[in-house]
Amino acid sequence: MRLDKLLANMGFGTRSEMRRAVKQGIVTVDDMTIKDFGFTLDPEVADVRYDGERVVYREVIYVMLHKPQGVVSATEDSRDRTVIDLLDPNDRVLQPFPVGRLDKDTEGLLLLTNDGKLAHDLLSPRKHVPKIYEADVLGDVGTDDIVAFAAGVALDDGYVTMPAQLIIDSQEMSDDGLMSHITLTIHEGKFHQVKRMFEAVGKKVVYLRRISMGPLQLDPELSLGDYRALTEAELESLLSVHDKEVSAD
């Protein structure tokens, strides 16, 4: 790879800015000052430094984000702040995108990557990747709802969901009425699905948070709006998804 291309791709500046920087002698390769911006190297082997800072070469990025409310799951938006806006510039330069989406008012686990194959595998209907949510639901969620969700419920457009696993964690009275705190596992990702499933049984979701997607669990140490790179073990578990095609039975 050309030296100027490497520096630009890793977020140190534009291609023209990097050419000027190289000519100024502030870039070294294996402890040698290089002033030829067309110098070619193996980015995975060479020790490249920009003004003393190590240039770490990456082609792909895998990020776990604890999405806050008020941020949209998109790469760009003309009105709202996006999840990409929460990333540092040196991570944005790799052009990651959200895998699936969380509603603007939904919190929780969101994976961002530029690995299109992994994203496709995680979102493919054939994979039936489980997604687990915690929610506060206004209304008396009971055994009838557990049974209905296990059988699949008809949404407002007539679509019948796949069987889902509903757990009632606790209930308490609030100013608005009885509040049920639940955990729900679904195996698909229709638009506003969790909210629409509860609307189908006469309840209203007032707070929603995703805590897992397939084998990936939301890090409890990750504050709202913060993110981190996936660990090697987390990445390996996600990459194994493409080998699994779960039957709809």
Side-chain angles (χ1 to χ4, degrees), residues 91-231:
D91 291 323
R92 291 200 297 266
V93 75
L94 294 172
Q95 298 183 317
F97 52 86
V99 178
R101 65 188 303 278
L102 291 178
D103 298 336
K104 183 177 177 180
D105 60 351
T106 299
E107 299 177 354
L109 172 67
L110 189 64
L111 173 66
L112 295 98
T113 184
N114 56 2
D115 185 338
K117 186 179 187 311
L118 175 63
H120 176 269
D121 285 339
L122 289 173
L123 298 175
S124 171
R126 294 182 303 167
K127 305 295 184 178
H128 304 154
V129 174
K131 305 169 187 68
I132 303 179
Y133 293 82
E134 295 176 337
D136 296 340
V137 181
L138 188 60
D140 185 7
V141 179
T143 304
D144 290 347
D145 300 312
I146 294 176
V147 173
F149 278 34
V153 297
L155 303 182
D156 49 9
D157 60 0
Y159 176 81
V160 178
T161 66
M162 291 177 59
Q165 294 74 50
L166 173 61
I167 297 173
I168 304 166
D169 298 314
S170 65
Q171 293 181 315
E172 62 182 358
M173 290 301 300
S174 70
D175 292 340
D176 297 318
L178 183 65
M179 191 71 67
S180 300
H181 307 289
I182 64 90
T183 301
L184 178 67
T185 303
I186 62 175
H187 302 270
E188 54 200 331
K190 298 298 180 181
F191 182 69
H192 292 320
Q193 181 169 335
V194 175
K195 297 174 183 176
R196 292 165 68 199
M197 288 177 74
F198 278 102
E199 287 173 359
V201 294
K203 315 294 193 308
K204 181 180 180 181
V205 173
V206 296
Y207 170 78
L208 186 61
R209 181 171 82 129
R210 184 162 68 191
I211 60 174
S212 78
M213 181 179 186
L216 189 61
Q217 308 286 322
L218 178 63
D219 186 341
E221 301 298 320
L222 208 55
S223 300
L224 277 169
D226 287 344
Y227 70 96
R228 65 164 174 79
L230 296 191
T231 65

Side-chain angles (χ1 to χ4, degrees), residues 27-88:
V27 178
T28 63
V29 178
D30 297 329
D31 296 324
M32 294 189 302
T33 299
I34 303 296
K35 294 190 176 182
D36 174 13
F37 55 75
F39 181 81
T40 59
L41 52 87
D42 183 342
E44 295 184 349
V45 175
D47 180 4
V48 182
R49 308 268 172 167
Y50 178 87
D51 200 17
E53 180 181 350
R54 177 84 182 270
V55 179
V56 179
Y57 175 65
R58 294 180 295 168
E59 285 186 334
V60 291
I61 182 173
Y62 303 95
V63 160
M64 175 192 296
L65 171 71
H66 192 173
K67 179 192 171 300
Q69 294 184 12
V71 178
V72 296
S73 300
T75 54
E76 58 183 25
D77 191 277
S78 59
R79 294 175 300 176
D80 295 309
R81 195 179 187 198
T82 74
V83 292
I84 302 302
D85 295 326
L86 300 178
L87 304 182
D88 292 333

